[in-house]
């Protein structure tokens, strides 16, 4: 009988070993079921069997996180075996009790039992037990935040264990478990790349040998690296695999850690609702095990940080206070420091009632004990970013000290994201300290990183900070602290005297040069009529005036707010107003200064600095803004003088128009757009200013150029026209600039170029966009220096020519594509005149028909249906095409003397176009005062609206679809008062 009992006990021991193996594999339910059947077979166990059963029941209870009961069973078993000679069982029980104490947060007791276990294993020379104890001591040092000592224990253990692990799978599995622990130490010491390499090796090994529990822990650690590296895909892949594994393997502690890390993941990417849900789950799981444990302390602190961001200071205080109490009881140095950080930040924004502790000082003291560089740097960064008054110098220095330390550590551990976040904090501190130039430099650097990395939320923060810096600069510039309020302070006596005598344009150029502005203007804005009149400009494209008027309204001038407006990178960082700044995509910064003149009028000074790829972050700084505001009054005074002078000139001009009702009889038009354009031509016809004429083929660019010349003071001199597309580059150069004898084969004499021939007159460069880049530089010299150099010569010759140019291409696009020189463009387009295509001035078609019929000298008349067909046709060849069509039809009419519909070309009757047609608007009331042109306007408005809808109201794309310039589309939208649905 005694022998049978012995055999049965032997069988139970084998089955109990299976229980331990199942627990290790994460199959807790099967382990519980097997243990229950074994225990049921022992109704009256002996003391030894009871101690054996207590040991394995403690293993099951610990796996279920029932640590109090597990400790009770383990100690009962230990009490039996401690007086025995079974050292292996004693060592295992000491290990188990140490593990339970760690889970309960009692680190001191855990360390004591681990050292006792180590002594037991040494006594019997059990290497596996010795290595296990070293691993446990490394874990204890890890909890205490001593990562250097923890790594030392683990590295020594691994090095010693490798020799033992040869040809022993279980030993090999243990080695990889220690490697996983070492990787965790490296994570917290900031060596993420080294930790990742180790973990990927461990994961491959544990997958190969199906070591599920270690695989789950490795995946959790790798996912945690993904959080610190902000690698979304790495996090998602790791945590998804852990979820799948936990569905078939019950490991409750690891499940709690998964929820904690999922909370960290969502918090890192500002998904705070999801973060709180996962933290709540992790805390509920931790609360089931014991009152104090590491998981609960960590998760409470992390949840407190989310509440802090959400400004729920009461909950943040509650979580951080409880987390601090738990961390103090279990000796978690890192968590103590983290909770103190939260409490310190809460104390700035929330009344802590009777709690008068100086959490800042306590947190700073604890930082010296923490080895987790990432958490230390985050704490320094949080302290650097607190709200500080610009007048509190000592607090600003305190913040700067923490910021410097945060940046140093982030640089050391290679965390680029938080280094950029530190730049934002630095920019804010620089702004508070009044160092605006430094603030812009740093915020620009951060913005470039976030844009390149695709962090949209952080990029929005960059734009918001830019606006705050801009506002602070304006506040300083308009205050008494502006050191340039007295202009004389920045000028020497000769400069001051020169400015006093100079006119408006000279003053504007002086200011532009002083602040390094690429473009500038001064004008008068009527707040009632919303009419803006430019009085003086410096390198400013007049086509941008309508958009500038929109920006003035955006700045609040219409509402009587005469506050300076300053913005950097207006197109890319205008917080939802990028459409307004669409035409300013190449601008780095702008200053707009309105000055109230009374009578609902404002003088406006505008300064612009262009964006330069080679000078990223080159903006108007604090000094430039202050100087601009200091000069504003002087420029406004000159503007008033110029306005009075301009009004007198307007009176003379209007009187001249009354005396000669048609200043340009060779131009036939009744279009308001054309008449306004001709009015501008009259203003500049006698000026030496360069004029660029833009318009489609056949719209009459050459006719307008001749009109300007033959109505100007240069009418008695030569008008020379050159088509830049008609001549090859070598011939074009010799024709324009001339050549010296022997300059090339065939140059048998000196010859003057066409520029010299045009001396005193006008030089018209048609199709200027086709001019080769090599010649553009020489043309620039002619414009700037009024000097030409013949081919083969070294001596320049002075010439006095007025340059007119024309193009049907978009020179701005050519500039961006590096096919046209930027400096030449702004010299040629000092005044830009656009001739609208014939389809945009259909009311001119009847006038032109009659004009061309009269010019033909015949008595042919045109039928009404042909006239209507002409009005409806789009005329891609414009006026020239209309002229040629009428010449042809006059010949075809012959003796009938009537041009009928049968004589028209097929192009006037094309049906089934590939483009989708637009329904014609119906006329509700056909009255005598509702003319054909009114109906055309209705159709045009509907067609433009349809094009805008199809292109999502992006004007540039709609203009391309309509085949018209964007500036024309904007004018039409304004005229027809078209508004977005």
């Amino acid at each position: 009988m005694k022998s049978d009992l012995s055999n049965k006990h032997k069988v139970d021991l084998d089955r109990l070993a299976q229980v331990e193996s199942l627990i290790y594999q994460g199959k807790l339910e099967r382990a519980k079921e097997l243990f229950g059947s074994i225990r049921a077979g022992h109704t009256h166990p002996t003391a030894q069997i009871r101690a054996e059963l207590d040991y394995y029941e403690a293993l099951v209870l610990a796996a279920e996180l029932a640590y109090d009961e597990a400790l009770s069973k383990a100690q009962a078993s230990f009490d039996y075996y401690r007086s025995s000679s079974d050292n292996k069982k004693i060592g295992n029980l000491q290990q188990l009790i140490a593990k339970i104490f760690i889970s309960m947060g009692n680190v001191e007791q855990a360390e004591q039992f681990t050292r006792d276990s180590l002594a037991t294993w040494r006594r019997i020379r059990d290497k596996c037990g010795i290595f296990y104890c070293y691993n446990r001591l490394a874990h204890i040092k890890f909890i205490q935040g001593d990562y250097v000592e923890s790594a030392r224990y683990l590295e020594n253990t691994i090095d010693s264990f490798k020799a033992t692990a040869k040809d022993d799978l279980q030993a090999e599995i243990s080695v990889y478990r220690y490697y996983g622990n070492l990787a965790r130490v490296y994570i917290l010491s900031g060596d993420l790349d080294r930790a990742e390499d180790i973990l990927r090796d461990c994961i491959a090994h544990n997958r190969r040998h199906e070591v599920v529990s270690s695989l789950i822990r490795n995946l959790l650690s790798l996912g945690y690296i993904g959080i610190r590296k902000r690698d979304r895909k790495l996090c998602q892949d790791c945590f998804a695999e852990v979820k799948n594994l936990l569905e078939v393997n019950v490991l409750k502690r690891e499940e709690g850690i998964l929820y904690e890390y999922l909370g960290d993941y969502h918090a890192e990417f500002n998904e705070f609702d999801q973060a709180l849900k996962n933290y709540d789950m992790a805390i509920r799981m931790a609360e089931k095990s014991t009152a104090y444990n590491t998981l609960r302390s960590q998760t409470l602190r992390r949840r407190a940080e989310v509440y802090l961001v959400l400004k729920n200071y009461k909950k943040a205080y509650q979580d951080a206070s409880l987390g601090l109490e738990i961390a103090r009881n279990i000796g978690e140095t890192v968590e103590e420091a983290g909770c103190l950080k939260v409490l310190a930040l809460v104390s700035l924004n929330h009344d802590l009632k009777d709690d008068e502790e100086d959490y800042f000082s306590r947190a700073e003291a604890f930082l010296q004990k923490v080895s987790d560089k990432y958490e230390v740097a985050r704490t320094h960064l949080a302290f650097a970013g607190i709200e500080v008054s610009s007048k509190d110098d000592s607090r600003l220095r305190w913040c700067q000290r923490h910021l410097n330390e945060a940046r140093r550590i982030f640089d050391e551990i290679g965390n680029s994201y938080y280094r950029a976040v530190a730049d934002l904090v630095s920019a804010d501190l620089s702004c508070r300290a009044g160092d605006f130039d430094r603030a812009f430099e740093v915020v620009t650097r951060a913005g470039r990183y976030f844009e390149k990395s695709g962090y949209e939320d952080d990029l929005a923060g960059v734009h918001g900070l830019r606006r705050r810096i801009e506002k602070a600069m304006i506040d300083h510039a308009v205050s008494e602290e502006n050191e340039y309020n007295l202009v004389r302070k920045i000028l020497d006596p000769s400069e001051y005297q020169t400015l006093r005598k100079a006119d408006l344009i000279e003053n504007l150029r002086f200011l532009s040069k002083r602040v390094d502005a690429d473009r500038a203007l001064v004008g008068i804005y009527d707040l009632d009529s919303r009419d803006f009149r430019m009085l003086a400009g410096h390198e400013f494209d007049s086509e941008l005036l309508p958009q500038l008027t929109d920006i003035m309204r955006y700045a609040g001038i219409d509402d009587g707010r005469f506050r300076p407006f300053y913005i950097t990178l207006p197109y890319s960082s205008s917080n939802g107003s990028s459409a307004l700044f669409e035409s300013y995509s190449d601008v780095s910064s702008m200053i707009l200064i309105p000055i109230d003149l009374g009578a609902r009028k404002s003088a406006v000074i505008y300064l612009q600095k262009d964006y330069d790829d080679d000078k990223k972050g080159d903006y108007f700084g604090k000094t430039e803004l202050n100087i601009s505001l200091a000069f504003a009054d002087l420029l406004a005074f000159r503007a008033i003088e110029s306005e009075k002078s301009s009004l007198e000139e307007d009176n003379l001009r209007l009187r001249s128009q009354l005396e000669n009702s048609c200043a340009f009889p060779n131009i036939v038009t009744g279009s308001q757009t054309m008449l306004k354009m001709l009015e501008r031509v009259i203003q500049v016809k006698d000026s030496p200013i360069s004029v660029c004429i833009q318009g489609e083929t056949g719209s009459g660019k050459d006719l307008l150029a001749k009109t300007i010349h033959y109505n100007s003071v240069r009418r008695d001199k030569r008008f020379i026209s050159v088509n830049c597309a008609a001549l090859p580059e070598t011939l074009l150069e010799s024709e324009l600039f001339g050549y010296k004898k022997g300059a090339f084969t065939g140059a048998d004499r000196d010859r003057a170029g066409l520029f010299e021939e045009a001396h005193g007159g006008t030089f018209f460069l048609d199709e200027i966009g086709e001019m080769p880049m090599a010649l553009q530089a020489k043309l620039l010299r002619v414009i700037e220096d009024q000097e030409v150099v013949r081919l083969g010569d070294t001596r320049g010759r002075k010439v006095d020519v007025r340059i007119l140019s024309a193009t049907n291409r978009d020179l701005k696009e050519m500039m961006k594509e590096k096919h046209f020189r930027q400096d030449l463009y702004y010299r040629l387009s000092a005044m830009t005149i656009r001739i609208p295509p014939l389809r945009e001035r259909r009311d001119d078609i009847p006038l032109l028909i009659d004009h061309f019929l009269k010019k033909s000298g015949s008595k042919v008349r045109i039928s009404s249906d042909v006239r209507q067909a002409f009005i409806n046709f789009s005329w891609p060849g414009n006026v020239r095409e209309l002229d040629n069509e009428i010449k042809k039809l006059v010949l075809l009419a012959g003796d009938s003397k009537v041009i009928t519909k049968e004589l028209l070309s097929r192009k006037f009757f094309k049906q089934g176009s590939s483009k989708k047609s637009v329904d014609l608007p119906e006329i509700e009331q056909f009255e005598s005062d509702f003319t054909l042109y009114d109906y055309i306007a209705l159709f045009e408005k509907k067609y433009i609206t349809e094009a805008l809808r199809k292109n999502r109201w992006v004007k540039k794309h709609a203009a391309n679809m309509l085949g018209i310039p964007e500036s024309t589309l904007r004018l039409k939208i304004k005229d027809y008062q078209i508004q977005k649905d």
Side-chain angles (χ1 to χ4, degrees):
M1 184 70 181
K2 192 171 182 181
S3 175
D4 290 339
L5 283 173
S6 177
N7 289 334
K8 183 175 185 301
H9 183 53
K10 197 170 184 179
V11 171
D12 284 345
L13 285 177
D14 291 339
R15 293 172 71 201
L16 286 169
Q18 290 180 35
V19 171
E20 187 171 8
S21 177
L22 288 169
I23 292 171
Y24 185 70
Q25 294 174 35
K27 299 172 182 177
L28 182 58
E29 292 304 318
R30 286 177 59 187
K32 286 170 62 180
E33 184 181 338
L34 179 59
F35 178 75
S37 68
I38 295 170
R39 187 173 54 185
H42 293 280
T43 53
H44 301 290
T46 64
Q48 181 182 357
I49 293 175
R50 186 183 298 110
E52 195 74 20
L53 291 172
D54 283 345
Y55 169 73
Y56 284 99
E57 187 172 4
L59 288 175
V60 173
L61 289 168
E64 287 188 299
L65 310 185
Y67 294 124
D68 289 329
E69 295 174 63
L71 181 62
S72 175
K73 291 292 181 181
Q75 285 177 329
S77 180
F78 182 62
D79 287 342
Y80 172 82
Y81 279 109
R82 69 195 305 175
S83 58
S84 74
S85 60
D86 192 345
N87 285 308
K88 190 163 187 177
K89 181 62 71 176
I90 293 170
N92 284 330
L93 277 162
Q94 288 169 327
Q95 283 182 186
L96 176 59
I97 293 170
K99 182 179 178 181
I100 294 171
F101 272 131
I102 283 179
S103 298
M104 296 178 72
N106 193 335
V107 180
E108 289 182 3
Q109 285 277 41
E111 184 173 359
Q112 181 59 52
F113 269 89
T114 302
R115 294 193 181 280
D116 291 345
S117 177
L118 179 61
T120 302
W121 295 124
R122 279 176 174 163
R123 190 160 51 246
I124 61 174
R125 294 184 177 85
D126 188 316
K127 289 184 178 180
C128 287
I130 292 170
F131 297 150
Y132 179 89
C133 289
Y134 278 132
N135 182 57
R136 179 62 65 198
L137 288 170
H139 184 203
I140 290 168
K141 293 302 178 185
F142 177 86
I143 291 173
Q144 293 171 336
D146 189 347
Y147 302 131
V148 174
E149 190 67 12
S150 178
R152 188 180 67 80
Y153 272 123
L154 285 169
E155 287 165 352
N156 290 338
T157 303
I158 292 169
D159 289 342
S160 302
F161 213 116
K162 277 181 180 177
T164 310
K166 288 180 180 178
D167 302 322
D168 183 345
L169 179 60
Q170 288 303 316
E172 184 181 325
I173 289 170
S174 296
V175 169
Y176 275 94
R177 185 167 66 249
Y178 300 150
Y179 266 125
N181 293 340
L182 182 60
R184 181 68 180 166
V185 175
Y186 286 149
I187 290 172
L188 297 187
S189 61
D191 196 345
L192 299 185
D193 292 336
R194 190 175 179 186
E196 185 173 349
D197 290 341
I198 291 173
L199 286 170
R200 290 190 183 279
D201 190 28
C202 290
I203 287 168
H205 175 273
N206 290 324
R207 278 183 182 146
R208 190 162 56 249
H209 296 290
E210 298 181 352
V211 187
V212 179
S213 58
S214 290
L215 175 60
I216 289 173
R217 294 187 195 102
N218 296 154
L219 287 167
L220 285 169
S221 296
L222 187 58
Y224 191 70
I225 289 177
I227 295 171
R228 291 204 167 182
K229 286 188 171 183
R230 292 180 66 83
D231 186 337
R232 274 185 178 271
K233 188 174 186 310
L234 181 59
C235 295
Q236 291 165 355
D237 291 348
C238 290
F239 296 150
E241 187 173 352
V242 170
K243 267 190 173 180
N244 291 334
L245 290 169
L246 288 174
E247 285 178 4
V248 292
N249 300 277
V250 180
L251 293 168
K252 292 190 175 181
R253 183 173 180 276
E254 282 69 19
E255 186 179 0
I257 293 171
L258 172 63
Y259 283 117
E260 177 191 1
Y261 286 0
L262 284 171
D264 291 351
Y265 164 74
H266 290 295
E268 184 66 33
F269 293 101
N270 301 326
E271 298 159 354
F272 298 120
D273 289 342
Q274 285 295 321
L276 288 174
K277 287 178 184 177
N278 282 287
Y279 286 147
D280 291 345
M281 284 293 297
I283 289 171
R284 279 200 293 273
M285 294 193 70
E287 285 172 343
K288 290 178 182 177
S289 60
T290 185
Y292 298 108
N293 60 64
T294 303
L295 175 63
R296 192 171 178 222
S297 170
Q298 289 174 345
T299 312
L300 281 168
R301 190 259 297 179
R302 286 161 160 79
R303 190 171 70 175
E305 288 177 339
V306 172
Y307 282 137
L308 187 64
V309 174
L310 298 175
K311 298 184 178 180
N312 189 335
Y313 301 118
K314 183 177 179 181
K315 287 189 175 181
Y317 177 72
Q318 290 171 347
D319 276 359
S321 298
L322 182 55
L324 178 62
E325 182 184 348
I326 297 171
R328 188 183 294 122
N329 277 276
I330 63 177
E332 275 272 18
T333 309
V334 175
E335 292 311 314
E336 282 192 74
C339 292
L340 287 168
K341 173 191 73 175
V342 175
L343 289 169
L345 296 172
V346 168
S347 68
L348 292 175
N349 303 281
H350 183 64
D351 183 9
L352 301 184
K353 297 181 179 177
D354 298 331
D355 193 341
E356 297 180 357
E357 287 197 58
D358 184 357
Y359 289 113
F360 279 104
S361 298
R362 289 182 61 194
E364 285 182 307
F366 258 92
L367 285 178
Q368 308 302 318
K369 306 176 186 178
V370 175
S371 300
D372 186 344
K373 295 179 180 179
Y374 176 83
E375 288 294 344
V376 171
R378 289 284 301 270
T379 301
H380 282 301
L381 187 60
F383 286 173
I386 66 173
E387 288 286 332
V388 182
S389 168
S390 58
K391 296 178 181 179
D392 190 347
D393 291 338
S394 62
R395 199 60 160 171
L396 279 171
R397 287 193 297 273
W398 182 86
C399 289
Q400 189 63 53
R401 177 168 57 80
H402 279 287
L403 177 64
N404 292 342
E405 193 61 20
R407 292 164 103 170
R408 183 189 66 77
I409 298 173
F410 285 132
D411 282 340
E412 182 183 328
I413 64 177
N415 193 310
S416 301
Y417 172 79
Y418 278 104
R419 183 61 173 78
V421 173
D423 278 343
L424 291 186
V425 176
S426 176
D428 187 50
L429 286 176
S430 296
C431 177
R432 294 177 190 278
D435 190 352
F436 303 119
D437 295 341
R438 167 69 178 163
F440 272 126
E441 176 190 341
V442 180
V443 80
T444 299
R445 184 170 65 214
R448 282 202 296 272
Y449 171 81
F450 292 133
E451 186 175 14
K452 182 179 177 181
S453 305
Y455 294 132
E456 295 295 331
D457 290 346
D458 297 288
L459 204 54
V462 168
H463 300 333
L465 181 54
R466 276 187 175 281
R467 299 294 86 82
R468 292 206 302 277
I469 298 169
E470 290 157 6
K471 181 182 180 300
M473 284 180 68
I474 291 291
D475 290 340
H476 178 273
V478 299
S479 72
E480 293 300 320
E481 295 176 10
N482 182 349
E483 62 269 37
Y484 299 104
N485 267 329
L486 293 176
V487 176
R488 291 191 191 192
K489 284 186 178 181
I490 60 170
L491 302 177
D492 59 44
S494 62
E495 283 181 322
Y496 184 70
Q497 291 302 322
T498 301
L499 277 181
R500 286 191 61 187
K501 297 173 183 177
D503 61 11
L504 179 61
I505 185 64
E506 289 172 327
N507 274 277
L508 184 62
R509 284 174 180 161
F510 178 88
L511 175 59
S512 300
K513 184 177 180 181
R514 199 68 185 238
V515 300
D516 197 21
D518 293 296
R519 262 160 279 292
L521 68 81
V522 177
I524 301 291
Y525 183 62
D526 190 311
L527 276 65
D528 293 322
S529 67
R530 293 185 173 177
D531 179 53
F532 182 69
R533 174 180 163 82
M534 186 169 78
L535 301 177
H538 169 67
E539 302 291 346
F540 187 82
D541 186 351
S542 56
E543 276 202 345
L544 291 175
L545 280 176
Q547 289 88 335
L548 183 57
T549 307
D550 291 338
I551 292 172
M552 289 193 292
R553 285 198 285 273
Y554 177 78
I557 298 178
D558 281 11
D559 301 326
R561 295 202 305 270
F562 296 99
R563 178 178 172 80
F565 177 73
Y566 168 68
I567 190 169
T568 55
L569 297 178
Y571 179 67
S572 61
S573 65
S574 49
N575 290 347
S577 303
S578 57
L580 177 68
F581 296 97
E582 200 169 10
S583 300
Y584 294 86
S585 58
D586 56 351
V587 173
S588 73
S589 55
M590 59 172 66
I591 299 170
L592 193 149
I593 307 170
I595 297 175
D596 188 7
L597 300 180
R600 299 283 293 167
K601 284 192 175 184
S602 171
V604 175
I605 295 98
Y606 173 78
L607 297 159
Q608 172 182 319
K609 186 182 282 289
D610 293 339
Y611 188 85
D612 187 343
D613 285 330
D614 298 328
K615 298 179 181 178
K616 292 179 179 178
D618 184 19
Y619 313 108
F620 287 125
K622 172 185 173 183
T623 300
E624 288 81 14
L625 179 61
N626 289 347
I627 290 175
S628 301
L629 285 169
F631 267 81
D633 288 337
L634 176 61
L635 286 173
F637 177 73
R638 289 284 186 261
I640 295 169
E641 289 181 335
S642 179
E643 173 74 353
K644 288 179 180 178
S645 175
S646 180
L647 289 172
E648 292 172 0
E649 289 174 5
D650 283 346
N651 287 333
L652 291 173
R653 177 176 56 81
L654 292 170
R655 188 179 305 158
S656 174
Q657 284 183 336
L658 288 172
E659 290 171 355
N660 183 4
S661 58
C662 185
F664 301 139
N666 59 331
I667 296 180
V668 178
T669 184
S671 163
Q672 288 298 315
T673 304
M674 285 289 287
L675 290 172
K676 284 182 181 179
M677 183 269 290
L678 292 174
E679 187 178 348
R680 292 176 67 199
V681 171
I682 294 169
Q683 291 176 331
V684 300
K685 63 183 177 65
D686 294 327
S687 168
I689 192 172
S690 298
V691 176
C692 182
I693 304 168
Q694 294 181 342
E696 296 180 1
T697 301
S699 57
K701 300 185 290 295
D702 55 342
L703 177 63
L704 183 59
K706 291 175 183 175
T707 299
I708 293 172
H709 171 73
Y710 289 112
N711 286 273
S712 73
V713 292
R714 296 174 180 260
R715 67 175 68 89
D716 297 328
K717 300 294 183 179
R718 292 193 64 181
F719 173 84
I720 292 182
S721 174
V722 173
N723 189 322
C724 298
L727 297 171
E729 180 176 346
T730 53
L731 187 56
L732 181 60
E733 183 173 10
S734 61
E735 284 294 311
L736 291 179
F737 302 104
Y739 52 82
K740 186 177 176 64
K741 181 179 178 180
F744 51 85
T745 304
D748 54 355
R749 57 188 173 83
D750 289 351
R751 180 181 171 186
L754 293 177
F755 275 115
E756 291 181 68
E757 293 288 337
H759 181 70
T762 302
F763 201 102
F764 176 53
L765 290 160
D766 200 7
E767 302 301 337
I768 187 66
E770 305 299 328
M771 177 174 278
M773 289 289 285
L775 293 186
Q776 291 179 24
K778 296 193 73 172
L779 176 59
L780 187 63
R781 181 173 180 180
V782 176
I783 298 172
E784 289 186 333
D785 301 333
Q786 292 285 293
E787 185 179 89
V788 294
V789 179
R790 296 178 183 178
L791 274 173
D793 202 357
T794 56
R795 181 173 63 88
R797 289 172 168 81
K798 287 292 183 182
V799 291
D800 174 24
V801 291
R802 186 196 190 169
I803 303 293
L804 303 179
S805 59
T807 182
N808 61 1
R809 299 184 64 182
D810 188 341
L811 294 183
K812 284 188 176 179
E813 276 302 313
M814 292 183 69
M815 270 196 310
K816 290 178 182 176
E817 295 169 2
K818 308 296 184 184
H819 294 151
F820 200 86
R821 291 178 64 103
Q822 186 177 23
D823 45 7
L824 179 59
Y825 169 79
Y826 288 115
R827 296 300 185 278
L828 290 174
S829 57
M831 166 70 79
T832 301
I833 293 174
R834 178 182 171 274
I835 302 178
L838 196 53
R839 62 181 172 275
E840 292 183 22
R841 49 187 183 103
R842 295 180 187 273
D843 44 350
D844 277 348
I845 293 175
L847 298 175
L848 289 167
I849 291 171
D850 295 336
H851 171 72
F852 291 138
L853 284 174
K854 185 178 179 181
K855 194 171 104 175
S856 70
S858 68
K859 295 185 179 179
V860 173
R861 65 183 179 83
I862 188 167
S863 66
S864 60
D865 51 354
V866 172
R867 191 179 290 265
Q868 184 61 53
F870 278 9
I871 291 171
N872 292 338
F873 189 58
S874 62
W875 297 106
N878 292 294
V879 180
R880 184 187 297 127
E881 185 182 8
L882 175 60
D883 186 12
N884 292 336
E885 192 70 30
I886 288 176
K887 285 177 182 175
K888 182 183 74 172
L889 291 173
V890 166
L891 293 173
L892 292 174
D895 295 335
S896 67
K897 302 298 181 185
V898 178
I899 298 172
T900 61
K901 203 169 185 179
E902 291 73 26
L903 298 177
L904 294 180
S905 308
R906 290 179 62 187
K907 65 185 179 184
F908 293 95
F909 306 100
K910 280 186 178 178
Q911 299 294 328
S913 171
S914 61
K915 292 183 180 179
K916 188 177 177 182
S917 61
V918 179
D919 295 333
L920 294 173
E922 295 182 2
I923 305 171
E924 296 179 1
Q925 294 181 342
F926 198 99
E927 299 174 357
S928 58
D929 61 347
F930 190 88
T931 67
L932 171 64
Y933 305 116
D934 294 325
Y935 183 78
I936 291 170
L938 277 175
F939 175 77
E940 194 174 41
K941 179 179 180 180
K942 187 167 185 178
Y943 195 57
I944 289 171
T945 305
E946 186 70 11
L948 285 165
R949 284 198 192 107
K950 286 183 177 179
N951 289 280
R952 299 182 180 180
W953 295 84
V954 178
K955 298 179 183 66
K956 183 176 182 179
H957 297 166
N960 289 337
M961 179 180 177
L962 293 167
I964 61 174
E966 188 180 345
S967 56
T968 301
L969 177 60
R970 291 181 180 278
L971 185 63
K972 294 286 184 185
I973 291 170
K974 185 176 180 181
D975 289 343
Y976 292 135
Q977 297 181 343
I978 297 172
Q979 295 183 349
K980 187 175 180 181
D981 294 341

